[in-house]
Amino acid sequence: MDFVPALFSICLNYLCCLYLMAVLFILILYIICFSAVLSNISQSPELVKVPLGGTAYLQCDLGHLMTVCDVISWYKLHPRTQQLNKTTAINTETLEEGQCLGVFHNITVRDSGIYYCVVVYTVMMYMGNGSRVIVTGNFIYVAENTNCAVLYVCLLSLGLNAAFVIIVVTVVIAVRTCLGKI
């Protein structure tokens, strides 16, 4: 008969231990998730207008997440497909602890888009809020069709997004071709 109370005591201790482990596990998950929310990285400026062939400077603030900048990757959001692709065109320099500068030389029209600094730390991925790069100035865009070549000179000095202008020009060419007016 002494066996039943001893077994009950062992089971109760085991259940208490499981309960404490579950609470600890939930607490650890909460701390990880809470620290992920608090450890956002930010970017500036929000908008960068760069002349054709110029240099863009994108700042990435790692906050309290990290102090070194060599862990940053840069990604570009493609304006038409909305795909996020890693780019190696941006070189990252350290300004001070946790303050990183992305330097993008010899900007071309195709470099217009939104760029994000990204850091992978342990199992979490942290992404900046993005910086829109707009290429300004005069440029020549040549579009080729099966029957003709069309030359457009677009003045971007008004601050229009180069990718937007290319899309509009491409649509105009497609419409004219379909209607047979070229």
Side-chain angles (χ1 to χ4, degrees):
M1 294 295 166
D2 292 329
F3 176 72
V4 173
L7 183 60
F8 180 74
S9 177
I10 291 172
C11 287
L12 187 60
N13 285 338
Y14 180 73
L15 288 175
C16 284
C17 204
L18 280 177
Y19 176 76
L20 288 175
M21 285 178 24
V23 168
L24 183 62
F25 179 73
I26 291 171
L27 183 63
I28 290 172
L29 278 177
Y30 178 76
I31 289 171
I32 289 172
C33 292
F34 190 65
S35 69
V37 170
L38 291 179
S39 299
N40 288 335
I41 58 179
S42 62
Q43 281 180 246
S44 62
E46 189 175 311
L47 174 66
V48 181
K49 291 184 179 183
V50 185
L52 186 64
T55 301
Y57 298 96
L58 311 176
Q59 190 165 341
C60 184
D61 182 4
L62 301 179
H64 299 291
L65 184 64
M66 301 189 128
T67 58
V68 294
C69 296
D70 59 350
V71 295
I72 290 180
S73 297
W74 291 92
Y75 286 79
K76 178 186 177 189
L77 182 66
H78 192 278
R80 280 187 305 170
T81 64
Q82 298 299 304
Q83 283 187 317
L84 201 59
N85 297 315
K86 187 174 183 177
T87 180
T88 56
I90 300 176
N91 298 317
T92 305
E93 301 173 2
T94 302
L95 295 175
E96 56 186 64
E97 281 191 0
Q99 298 286 323
C100 310
L101 185 67
V103 183
F104 197 171
H105 297 287
N106 299 320
I107 296 282
T108 67
V109 173
R110 294 187 186 269
D111 295 324
S112 290
I114 302 174
Y115 290 85
Y116 295 92
C117 62
V118 175
V119 174
V120 176
Y121 179 67
T122 62
V123 295
M124 299 292 291
M125 182 173 117
Y126 301 90
M127 180 180 269
N129 50 317
S131 295
R132 178 180 297 273
V133 174
I134 296 177
V135 179
T136 60
N138 300 334
F139 76 98
I140 297 174
Y141 175 71
V142 178
E144 289 190 22
N145 198 322
T146 55
N147 299 329
C148 62
V150 180
L151 177 64
Y152 282 89
V153 177
C154 299
L155 297 174
L156 294 179
S157 57
L158 298 175
L160 294 175
N161 188 331
F164 174 75
V165 172
I166 290 172
I167 292 168
V168 170
V169 168
T170 305
V171 169
V172 168
I173 290 170
V175 169
R176 286 186 177 176
T177 302
C178 289
L179 296 176
K181 294 185 177 180
I182 291 184

